[in-house]
Amino acid sequence: MLLTCTQHVMIKVSSNSLSVGKFAHLVVLPTGVESAAERLVNSSQREGGRDEEIVVQFQDVAVGKTAEKKFKIKNTSAVKTEIQLVRQNSSVTPEVFTFVLNNKNLQPDDLVTLSVKFTPMIINEVCIEYFHLHDRSGGSKTTIKCVGTCKGLCVSFASDTIQFGQLSCGKTSTKSLEIINSSDCEAHYQFALDSSESVFKIDQRCGTLQPRSSKKLICSFQATQPINYYKKLACVIHNQEPLFVTLLGTCHSDAVKPAILEARHVDWYNSLTYRGLSGYSPEQIDAMEKEGNVCLDGDGIPTRQEDHQHTAMEEYFHDGYYSHLAFAVPHVSMNVRDIDFGRRIQLDSIMQKSITLTNHTKDKITCVWMGDTSHVFHVTPNSCDIPPLKSTSFRVTFKPTAPDQFYGAELECYAFYKCLTEYWQLEREYISPPWCLPLGTTGHTFSQQSETFLPKLELSSQKLQFPAVSLGESSFTSLLLRNTGATPIQYDFSNDNSGVFLMKPYRGIVEEGQQQVFLLHMSPTKAGRCEKVLQLRLNDDDRNTQKVVLVGYAEEAAVKLDNDGFLFFRPTCLNTFSTQQYGVRNTCRVPLRFEWMMSSDDAKLLTVSPQSGTIAPNEHQMHKWSFKPKEESRTLMKPVLVVTTTRGRLLSKSYLVPAEGKGTLGSLRAAESSVDCHNILAGCMETKNIDVFNDSDCDLHYELHVDSDKVLLQKCRKILRARTIQTIEATVQPTTCGTFTVAISYQLLSSADDTAVYIGEKRHLCYVVVSAVFPTLVATDVSCHGSASGRNKMQLWNLLNLSRFNSLMMKPLPLSSTSQKTTESMMA
C-alpha cells in the first residue's frame, strides 16, 4: 500500500491480514427434561453420512385438533447465519405439519425456539413428512422427520340390547340407554329413528357428548299392533363408525298373544342366515328337521356356523338398496326407500304414490305398517299378506294440514312369517324376528309464488377428504350439518351416477336447532384420484344450493428406491462382511407390506434387516444390507423387493434391485519389520509406536497377538479401513537384563464386535527387539584432600582396590539378588 504526502515524499507501508473461513453449524436441542422412554424428539446420526435426522413424534391427536411440540436450535459456530427450513416435496400426504420460527437470523452461540404443529384431517391415519433444516452457507444439514397419528372418537353403549318384554296394546314400557364418550373431544351422535312414527322412541334422538362424559337416554316402546317388534337401530356418529343397538318388544291384545321375542331368538335367526336357511319359515325348518334335511343342536341352532365378519360401516351401507352390495339376500325388499312428494298447493286434494314390496322367502309373510290415516304420511292398506316369491303394491298418501310448511317422516313396516301367529303348533319354539322396512317421505306446501324459508346452517366441511384405499377396498367419512336457524331445513343431495360415492341419508328434514350426521362411502373402480361435486339443494329452491366436494384416492403399490434401484458394496475381504444402508420410500397413500426375496445362491452372500415389514405412506425406511463374499471375484446379485397393499385386492408389485459386490484378499504390514527398543532399564516400561498399513481395497477387522509378556498392546481388536494407516501403541516392560525378540502377529476377524469369529491362521506382522539393561557405577578417577593430599593416584587406586570394585559393578545383577545376603556373598 502506498501513501503520498504533500511534500511528495513516498512512504511504503506493508499490511498482512489473516482471516479464517468458517461454516455455520446448527444443532437441534430438545426442550425439557425427559426420560429415555418419554423423549418425544429423538436424534440419530445417519450411517455413512453427515446429515443428522430428528424425529418429532405426535401420538393420538384428535381429528381437527392441533398439537404442538417445541425444540431449540443453537448456532454452535463462531459466525452468524440464517436458518432455512424446506419441506420435502410430496404429493402423497396432505400438509398437516406447520413450523413456526420466531427468528431466522442467529448470532454465534444464540438459541432460537422452533415449534411444529400437527393438525390431522383424516382419522386413523399415520402422517409422515420430511423437512430439511440448514443454514444459508450449506455448512450443516438436518432432516426433521415428523410423524403423527390421528385418532377418532371412542363412543360406545353400556349395553347393545334393550328388551322391553311383553306389554298390552297402547301401553308404554320405558328403559334407559347409556351412551359413553371415552375420547378427549366432543362427539356428535344421531339415531336413525323417527320417534313420531316408530313404536320405539328415544327422548334425545341427536345431541352432543362432551369429552370424557356419558349420557343416559330414555327409550320407550309403545305399540298398537299385537305382533313382535325387532329393530337394529343405527346410531350415526361424526368421525366414527356407527353403533348399533338391538330393540326387542312384544305386543299382546286380548285376542292375539304372540310368543315373547327374546335376544336368543335373534341369535338363532342370525345362525340360520349364515347357513342360508333364514328364507325358510320356522314351520318349514321344523319340517326339514323331521325329515333329516337339516341338523340342529339342542337349542335349534345349526351345528355348522360360518364366520362372517364385517365392519359396522359396511353393515350400515351394504343393505342392497343404498349400495349394490348386501351381506345376505334380502328377505323382503322395497322398490324405493325414499319418496319426495315435492310441492303440494291444494290441501284438500289427495296426493299418492305407490311402492312395491316383494317377498323373497319360501313362505307367506304378513306386512304391517305403523301409523294410521290421521298422520300426514300414511300407507294403505295397513296390513297385507304376501305369498312366497310374490309382490304387492301399497299406496303412500301425503295429507298435509297447514300451508307453507315442510313435512318429513320415516314410516316403518314390519314383515314376519304368517305361521308365527300359530307358533304353538311347532314342536320347538322357533321364533324368527320380524324385518323392519323404513320408508323416508318428504314434501312441502309452499306455493310457487311464495319463497321457502331462508336456510341458516353450518357444515363441518365443504370439502371432504376420504382416507386413501387400495383397489377393491372401501373408504368412509362423515359430514355434520347444523340447523342454526329458527325454521326447519329440507335437504336433498344429488346422487353420484358412477356409484363411486354414496351418501346416507341423502334426503330429509332437519328441525330447527337440530343437527344431521351424514355418512359417506367411497368404493373406487380404478386407480387414481376420485372427485365428485355434490349439489346440496336446500328447501326445494335452486337459489339455496351449496356444493360439497368429495375427494379420494385409490392406490396401487409403488415405492421409490435409493440410487435409482442399484445397490453397491465396497470391496470386502473374504469371509468377512460389509454393510450398506439402502432406503425405500413409499410413494402411495396407503401402507404397504414389503418382503425381500432372493435366490438360494444370493442368500449365501446377502442378508437384509428387516427382511419384511410395513412401510407407512410417504415413509422413507432404511434397510441394512450385509455382503459376505466367499471367493475373490466380482459378484452380481439380484434381490427382489415385493410390495403389496395391506387391504383390498392385495395388489403386489416387484422391483429388481441389482446388487454388486467384490470379494478380495486383504493383509496388513508394519512400516518396519523389526522395531528396536535399546537400553531399556529392566523393571521399567517404555511405549513404542508401530505403524500398520492396509494396502488392500477392503476394510480389515483384526486382532493382535504377542508371544511374550514383555510386550503389551493397548487394544487387541481393531478395524483398519482400506488403504489407510493406523498407529499401534506397544508397551515394552522387560523384567531381566538381556536382549529379547518378541513377535507380533495378527488374525483376521469376521467383524469387530464380541460375536466375531476368526478367519484363517495367524499372520506375522513384525518383531520387537528389546535390549534390557541395569544401571552401572564405575570409578574412573581418585584423589585425596587434606593431610593425604600428597599421595598419588596410583597409590590411592591400589589402596582402595578400585579395580576389584569396578569388576564387581560391571557384572549383571538379577532382580532376585537384591537382598543383603546375596550382596555380601558377591562382595566376598
Side-chain angles (χ1 to χ4, degrees):
M1 179 171 59
L2 298 177
L3 299 178
T4 304
C5 63
T6 56
Q7 284 77 16
H8 304 286
V9 178
M10 303 297 295
I11 303 175
K12 184 177 181 180
V13 180
S14 299
S15 176
N16 294 328
S17 60
L18 180 64
S19 62
V20 179
K22 291 286 186 180
F23 278 112
H25 184 67
L26 302 177
V27 176
V28 180
L29 304 174
T31 60
V33 179
E34 299 166 342
S35 64
E38 298 175 346
R39 186 173 298 276
L40 300 177
V41 181
N42 302 319
S43 64
S44 60
Q45 192 74 19
R46 291 185 176 179
E47 184 175 340
R50 299 190 310 172
D51 295 348
E52 188 181 9
E53 183 178 89
I54 304 297
V55 180
V56 183
Q57 183 76 43
F58 293 88
Q59 293 182 352
D60 296 337
V61 180
V63 61
K65 302 295 182 180
T66 299
E68 182 180 9
K69 294 188 184 300
K70 296 182 179 180
F71 47 92
K72 292 185 178 296
I73 302 175
K74 183 177 182 180
N75 181 11
T76 59
S77 62
V79 295
K80 65 180 181 180
T81 184
E82 180 181 350
I83 299 175
Q84 293 183 348
L85 190 65
V86 181
R87 182 192 304 268
Q88 177 179 301
N89 293 330
S90 173
S91 60
V92 175
T93 58
E95 296 182 358
V96 295
F97 297 96
T98 56
F99 280 84
V100 178
L101 186 61
N102 297 329
N103 183 20
K104 292 185 177 181
N105 298 313
L106 278 183
Q107 298 296 327
D109 293 328
D110 271 2
L111 285 172
V112 66
T113 300
L114 179 65
S115 64
V116 54
K117 297 181 179 180
F118 174 49
T119 307
M121 297 184 295
I122 303 176
I123 62 175
N124 299 329
E125 279 210 346
V126 178
C127 301
I128 298 178
E129 285 191 71
Y130 294 87
F131 298 83
H132 300 301
L133 176 69
H134 57 88
D135 61 282
R136 179 180 291 273
S137 64
S140 63
K141 181 179 178 181
T142 302
T143 300
I144 302 177
K145 178 182 179 181
C146 298
V147 182
T149 57
C150 177
K151 67 175 181 180
L153 297 176
C154 184
V155 181
S156 60
F157 291 136
S159 175
D160 59 358
T161 302
I162 299 179
Q163 296 189 131
F164 290 96
Q166 175 267 327
L167 77 161
S168 301
C169 292
K171 300 296 183 179
T172 302
S173 177
T174 302
K175 291 185 179 293
S176 64
L177 173 64
E178 185 177 9
I179 183 171
I180 305 168
N181 181 13
S182 303
S183 56
D184 297 326
C185 52
E186 63 181 15
H188 304 279
Y189 71 90
Q190 181 166 18
F191 287 92
L193 180 70
D194 186 352
S195 297
S196 63
E197 297 290 342
S198 176
V199 295
F200 300 105
K201 307 178 188 303
I202 297 180
D203 61 340
Q204 300 180 51
R205 191 174 64 90
C206 62
T208 302
L209 283 173
Q210 296 302 317
R212 302 290 178 182
S213 66
S214 62
K215 181 186 295 185
K216 282 193 176 182
L217 309 177
I218 304 302
C219 303
S220 60
F221 170 58
Q222 183 182 22
T224 58
Q225 300 287 342
I227 60 174
N228 285 324
Y229 295 89
Y230 161 66
K231 186 178 182 67
K232 194 169 185 179
L233 180 61
C235 178
V236 184
I237 302 170
H238 187 42
N239 291 327
Q240 182 185 306
E241 287 195 348
L243 300 176
F244 290 93
V245 57
T246 300
L247 305 177
L248 301 171
T250 302
C251 181
H252 283 186
S253 65
D254 295 337
V256 181
K257 298 182 183 298
I260 299 177
L261 185 63
E262 298 178 358
R264 59 187 179 90
H265 298 133
V266 178
D267 295 336
W268 174 80
Y269 168 77
N270 291 334
S271 300
L272 291 178
T273 303
Y274 296 151
R275 289 287 307 276
L277 299 175
S278 57
Y280 297 92
S281 66
E283 185 179 21
Q284 292 172 328
I285 294 291
D286 190 21
M288 293 169 62
E289 183 184 13
K290 293 177 181 179
E291 296 172 0
N293 296 329
V294 64
C295 183
L296 306 179
D297 62 11
D299 297 327
I301 299 177
T303 54
R304 293 181 57 191
Q305 300 185 33
E306 299 178 8
D307 187 16
H308 290 254
Q309 298 292 335
H310 48 265
T311 64
M313 193 72 77
E314 292 172 340
E315 183 177 357
Y316 181 74
F317 270 101
H318 297 167
D319 55 1
Y321 180 81
Y322 284 94
S323 171
H324 64 281
L325 300 176
F327 296 111
V329 177
H331 302 80
V332 184
S333 64
M334 189 184 303
N335 63 332
V336 294
R337 289 290 184 92
D338 287 278
I339 295 179
D340 183 19
F341 287 91
R343 186 190 310 270
R344 182 180 176 183
I345 302 176
Q346 298 179 358
L347 299 182
D348 54 351
S349 63
I350 297 177
M351 183 177 292
Q352 292 182 338
K353 291 190 177 184
S354 64
I355 60 172
T356 301
L357 269 64
T358 302
N359 179 10
H360 299 280
T361 67
K362 304 298 191 296
D363 203 354
K364 181 184 292 187
I365 64 171
T366 299
C367 299
V368 179
W369 287 91
M370 301 297 104
D372 52 35
T373 57
S374 63
H375 292 196
V376 175
F377 298 96
H378 62 270
V379 179
T380 55
N382 181 263
S383 65
C384 180
D385 293 341
I386 304 177
L389 305 178
K390 298 296 181 179
S391 300
T392 299
S393 295
F394 295 84
R395 294 185 302 275
V396 183
T397 302
F398 174 39
K399 188 176 63 176
T401 57
D404 298 335
Q405 293 292 330
F406 287 107
Y407 294 91
E410 185 180 74
L411 308 182
E412 289 183 348
C413 174
Y414 284 90
F416 53 90
Y417 287 113
K418 187 174 180 61
C419 65
L420 290 177
T421 58
E422 299 176 352
Y423 71 94
W424 57 84
Q425 297 181 4
L426 303 177
E427 292 189 3
R428 292 178 182 265
E429 191 183 350
Y430 293 151
I431 301 177
S432 177
W435 303 284
C436 181
L437 304 175
L439 175 63
T441 55
T442 54
H444 68 87
T445 57
F446 288 88
S447 63
Q448 294 181 353
Q449 290 76 20
S450 61
E451 295 184 357
T452 59
F453 302 135
L454 182 64
K456 295 182 179 180
L457 72 156
E458 292 180 357
L459 289 175
S460 58
S461 176
Q462 289 191 305
K463 184 176 181 180
L464 298 179
Q465 177 78 46
F466 284 82
V469 294
S470 56
L471 284 177
E473 188 187 7
S474 298
S475 181
F476 306 91
T477 188
S478 60
L479 175 68
L480 177 64
L481 184 151
R482 291 190 182 94
N483 184 356
T484 59
T487 57
I489 295 177
Q490 183 187 53
Y491 62 87
D492 188 359
F493 281 93
S494 61
N495 293 325
D496 180 18
N497 296 327
S498 65
V500 174
F501 296 99
L502 300 174
M503 171 177 278
K504 185 178 180 181
Y506 62 88
R507 184 187 294 131
I509 301 288
V510 182
E511 298 296 336
E512 56 271 17
Q514 299 297 315
Q515 64 186 22
Q516 177 69 48
V517 179
F518 304 92
L519 292 184
L520 296 100
H521 169 279
M522 182 190 71
S523 182
T525 56
K526 60 181 180 179
R529 178 185 173 95
C530 303
E531 184 172 347
K532 177 67 178 179
V533 178
L534 296 183
Q535 301 292 331
L536 172 58
R537 194 167 184 262
L538 300 170
N539 291 347
D540 197 21
D541 193 338
D542 293 336
R543 293 171 296 183
N544 300 327
T545 301
Q546 297 191 16
K547 295 181 180 180
V548 177
V549 182
L550 309 180
V551 179
Y553 294 90
E555 295 288 339
E556 294 179 322
V559 296
K560 183 179 180 180
L561 304 175
D562 284 359
N563 199 28
D564 296 328
F566 289 90
L567 177 60
F568 296 97
F569 293 93
R570 58 181 178 269
T572 308
C573 182
L574 299 184
N575 296 317
T576 65
F577 64 87
S578 59
T579 60
Q580 182 71 26
Q581 294 285 346
Y582 193 71
V584 179
R585 179 172 174 262
N586 183 359
T587 58
C588 61
R589 295 173 176 83
V590 295
L592 297 178
R593 184 181 295 109
F594 72 89
E595 182 177 5
W596 287 99
M597 305 181 69
M598 61 191 78
S599 64
S600 57
D601 293 337
D602 291 346
K604 298 177 182 178
L605 306 176
L606 286 176
T607 58
V608 60
S609 177
Q611 188 173 2
S612 61
T614 303
I615 309 180
N618 199 40
E619 181 182 8
H620 186 262
Q621 196 173 96
M622 302 304 295
H623 297 170
K624 184 177 181 180
W625 284 87
S626 298
F627 171 58
K628 187 176 182 180
K630 301 296 183 182
E631 57 184 16
E632 189 178 1
S633 63
R634 190 177 300 274
T635 306
L636 179 63
M637 298 148 288
K638 298 180 180 180
V640 176
L641 176 63
V642 180
V643 291
T644 310
T645 55
T646 58
R647 300 181 299 269
R649 297 179 186 173
L650 301 182
L651 302 176
S652 63
K653 191 173 183 180
S654 301
Y655 294 85
L656 176 63
V657 182
E660 184 177 337
K662 180 183 179 182
T664 182
L665 292 175
S667 60
L668 303 177
R669 67 176 180 86
E672 300 177 5
S673 60
S674 179
V675 180
D676 295 331
C677 301
H678 297 294
N679 299 327
I680 299 178
L681 295 177
C684 298
M685 294 188 299
E686 185 174 330
T687 302
K688 287 288 186 178
N689 291 332
I690 303 175
D691 293 333
V692 180
F693 291 86
N694 178 9
D695 298 326
S696 56
D697 297 331
C698 58
D699 298 344
L700 295 178
H701 304 276
Y702 66 95
E703 183 178 86
L704 297 175
H705 302 274
V706 291
D707 57 1
S708 175
D709 59 355
K710 296 180 175 59
V711 177
L712 299 178
L713 301 178
Q714 183 180 10
K715 185 179 180 181
C716 294
R717 292 194 173 187
K718 295 179 178 290
I719 178 174
L720 186 54
R721 301 297 180 184
R723 300 190 178 280
T724 57
I725 183 174
Q726 194 173 66
T727 300
I728 301 173
E729 290 186 357
T731 302
V732 181
Q733 50 178 14
T735 57
T736 59
C737 297
T739 302
F740 311 96
T741 301
V742 179
I744 299 179
S745 59
Y746 69 93
Q747 193 169 9
L748 296 180
L749 301 173
S750 60
S751 62
D753 53 21
D754 296 335
T755 61
V757 296
Y758 293 107
I759 300 175
E761 302 294 333
K762 293 181 181 180
R763 303 182 187 181
H764 175 71
L765 182 63
C766 65
Y767 291 105
V768 177
V769 180
V770 182
S771 297
V773 298
F774 276 108
T776 56
L777 181 64
V778 179
T780 59
D781 193 9
V782 63
S783 63
C784 290
H785 299 279
S787 60
S789 60
R791 293 181 178 273
N792 59 28
K793 293 185 178 182
M794 183 60 68
Q795 290 177 340
L796 291 175
W797 186 276
N798 295 331
L799 179 63
L800 298 176
N801 201 4
L802 293 181
S803 296
R804 173 62 175 169
F805 173 79
N806 285 342
S807 63
L808 292 176
M809 296 303 296
M810 292 298 292
K811 290 182 179 181
L813 182 64
L815 291 179
S816 60
S817 303
T818 56
S819 62
Q820 181 179 1
K821 178 179 179 180
T822 306
T823 304
E824 291 177 352
S825 62
M826 292 183 65
M827 291 299 295

